[in-house]
Amino acid sequence: MMLNRYTIVFLLVFSSFVTILNASAGDVDPHYRSCVRQCEEVGCFRERCFPNCKASSDGVTIDHPWNMLESLYVHWKKGNCQNDCQYYCMLNREKERELLNESPEKYHGKWPFERIYGIQEPTSMAFSILNLVMHFHGWMSFSTLLYNKLPLKAGKRSYYEYASLWHAYGLLSLNCWFWSVIFHIRYCELMERLENSSTVVFLGYSLIMAILRSFNVKDEATRVMIPAPLISFVTTHIIYLNSYKLAYEWNLKVCVLMTVAQLAIWAIWGGLSSHPSRWKLQFVILVSGIALSLKIYDFPPYQGLIDAQALRHGITIPLTYLWWSFIRDDAAFLTYNRLNSKKSNALALFSHTHTSLYIATLEKAAPISSPPLSLSLFQL
């Protein structure tokens, strides 16, 4: 069966989902914590000092809007101070671990990377930019196909029932990869919260799109009712991350679960559907399953530059092009199907009306003594 080719990938992902490790061992290391605390207090790590660490709020009130802005600025500078201290203490601790032949550890949910021109993760940043560009290109080409190449209804509305949903998908994808670029330039708690939130929203909406398109949901009320529980869950999860605790491992499990769910839905639909471009969907699902395993089976960065996440971002670049190609094919396929269906219905209506008029004309022209026309036609 066509679905069998995905069995191994999904079993791998599901079995791994329940074994995700719980902690970043590096940030609970007492030597690391002591180093960070001392650095923040004196504003220096050895001979390297950070001007941002000298900022303080010193009795600033937030009653006035300008004072509120100043407080936010001071908070941002302190965040940079903490980030710099954590970075250099992390590098120092990792050098000590290397001398002891110990393997690298994660710090605050992230591997130790070497900065290049101040950029925290240059490879992931570059791949995120390319993903952003590919999504923008895909969305624009989708819009061009809908409104410049395919037939339109009156008022320049598309015949494709999922057009507005995919437009929203395009916007959310751009938002997600934009914050991914910003976050990988330099770690910051605010940027991390924005990146995590935008990713969760994008994955949640992608799951909704998988459900609506796979089950061919066209009724507006049903489109609102079906995603409602998922929207509630995603909203609650984002509030939890931003208001209660920025839990790295819990957020990872939620993202993996939503990704696996949408891949499973698309895989089943692609296996049962007779869509002419289903091979594109099947290829995207297969490679996406492999890329997802990189998110679970993480490994330290090679030469401090490329880790599993960076590699996964690189894999999704060509997949994004193929994915938007499938969306364009789906738009063309459903549009022409609907037009052909309308033509067939119109032809059938015309044929029925023409036949009725013809029979009525013959009945009027038939002699009174002749048998009923329906009986004559039946005998013929």
Side-chain angles (χ1 to χ4, degrees), residues 135-173:
H135 272 285
F136 180 76
H137 173 268
W139 183 31
M140 289 297 100
S141 61
F142 172 70
S143 300
T144 301
L145 174 71
L146 282 182
Y147 303 111
N148 294 336
K149 297 181 181 180
L150 293 179
L152 296 173
K153 298 179 185 178
K156 294 186 177 181
R157 292 183 302 153
S158 174
Y159 283 99
Y160 185 50
E161 296 91 344
Y162 303 93
S164 59
L165 296 176
W166 284 121
H167 283 312
Y169 175 89
L171 283 172
L172 291 177
S173 67

Side-chain angles (χ1 to χ4, degrees), residues 83-99:
N83 180 268
D84 288 333
C85 287
Q86 289 176 350
Y87 174 72
Y88 287 102
C89 287
M90 174 192 69
L91 290 184
N92 180 69
R93 184 60 184 140
E94 283 304 303
K95 289 179 181 178
E96 294 175 352
R97 295 178 62 85
E98 186 178 357
L99 293 175

Side-chain angles (χ1 to χ4, degrees), residues 35 39 42-50 84-85 88-89 92:
C35 174
C39 173
V42 301
C44 298
F45 173 78
R46 296 181 180 175
E47 68 280 358
R48 186 187 298 269
C49 294
F50 313 112
D84 288 333
C85 287
Y88 287 102
C89 287
N92 180 69

Side-chain angles (χ1 to χ4, degrees), residues 86-357:
Q86 289 176 350
Y87 174 72
Y88 287 102
C89 287
M90 174 192 69
L91 290 184
N92 180 69
R93 184 60 184 140
E94 283 304 303
K95 289 179 181 178
E96 294 175 352
R97 295 178 62 85
E98 186 178 357
L99 293 175
L100 297 173
N101 293 322
E102 296 179 358
S103 57
E105 295 286 358
K106 282 188 175 183
Y107 295 80
H108 307 284
K110 296 171 284 292
W111 290 112
F113 285 87
E114 292 282 350
R115 290 179 180 175
I116 298 181
Y117 296 108
I119 299 174
Q120 192 78 39
E121 296 184 39
T123 307
S124 292
M125 184 208 68
F127 286 158
S128 295
I129 291 175
L130 291 177
N131 274 287
L132 177 66
V133 171
M134 294 305 297
H135 272 285
F136 180 76
H137 173 268
W139 183 31
M140 289 297 100
S141 61
F142 172 70
S143 300
T144 301
L145 174 71
L146 282 182
Y147 303 111
N148 294 336
K149 297 181 181 180
L150 293 179
L152 296 173
K153 298 179 185 178
K156 294 186 177 181
R157 292 183 302 153
S158 174
Y159 283 99
Y160 185 50
E161 296 91 344
Y162 303 93
S164 59
L165 296 176
W166 284 121
H167 283 312
Y169 175 89
L171 283 172
L172 291 177
S173 67
L174 295 183
N175 177 70
C176 174
W177 286 108
F178 170 79
W179 290 115
S180 177
V181 172
I182 300 301
F183 172 68
H184 288 119
I185 290 177
R186 180 66 70 90
Y187 296 152
C188 171
E189 184 176 342
L190 175 61
M191 295 300 105
E192 187 169 10
R193 292 181 185 275
L194 289 170
E195 195 265 345
N196 286 335
S197 299
S198 61
T199 300
V200 171
V201 170
F202 178 59
L203 291 177
Y205 188 82
S206 299
L207 178 55
I208 291 173
M209 281 301 307
I211 296 172
L212 297 181
R213 180 61 189 93
S214 300
F215 290 94
N216 200 27
V217 179
K218 298 179 181 178
D219 180 66
E220 292 297 329
T222 309
R223 285 184 174 183
V224 174
M225 182 175 60
I226 291 179
L230 183 58
I231 293 174
S232 299
F233 171 75
V234 168
T235 304
T236 304
H237 177 66
I238 292 175
I239 293 174
Y240 173 81
L241 290 180
N242 292 283
S243 301
Y244 179 66
K245 182 181 179 182
L246 189 59
Y248 305 102
E249 300 303 328
W250 168 244
N251 184 59
L252 173 62
K253 291 177 181 179
V254 170
C255 292
V256 169
L257 179 61
M258 289 194 294
T259 304
V260 169
Q262 65 171 297
L263 290 179
I265 293 172
W266 282 120
I268 295 172
W269 182 81
L272 300 176
S273 172
S274 58
H275 198 287
S277 296
R278 61 186 180 276
W279 69 268
K280 295 181 180 180
L281 176 65
Q282 292 165 355
F283 183 82
V284 170
I285 293 169
L286 189 61
V287 181
S288 295
I290 297 173
L292 181 61
S293 66
L294 292 174
K295 191 174 184 68
I296 299 171
Y297 293 101
D298 205 358
F299 56 83
Y302 177 73
Q303 298 295 323
L305 296 174
I306 301 177
D307 68 335
Q309 178 173 288
L311 188 59
R312 182 171 54 87
H313 286 350
I315 292 175
T316 56
I317 296 170
L319 289 185
T320 300
Y321 178 84
L322 194 62
W323 175 241
W324 277 104
S325 176
F326 166 76
I327 296 172
R328 292 194 300 270
D329 293 346
D330 186 57
F333 176 67
L334 290 187
T335 296
Y336 286 117
N337 269 3
R338 185 170 182 181
L339 289 176
N340 290 336
S341 176
K342 278 192 169 186
K343 288 180 181 178
S344 299
N345 292 337
L347 183 61
L349 179 63
F350 173 79
S351 177
H352 175 73
T353 305
H354 181 73
T355 303
S356 300
L357 291 173

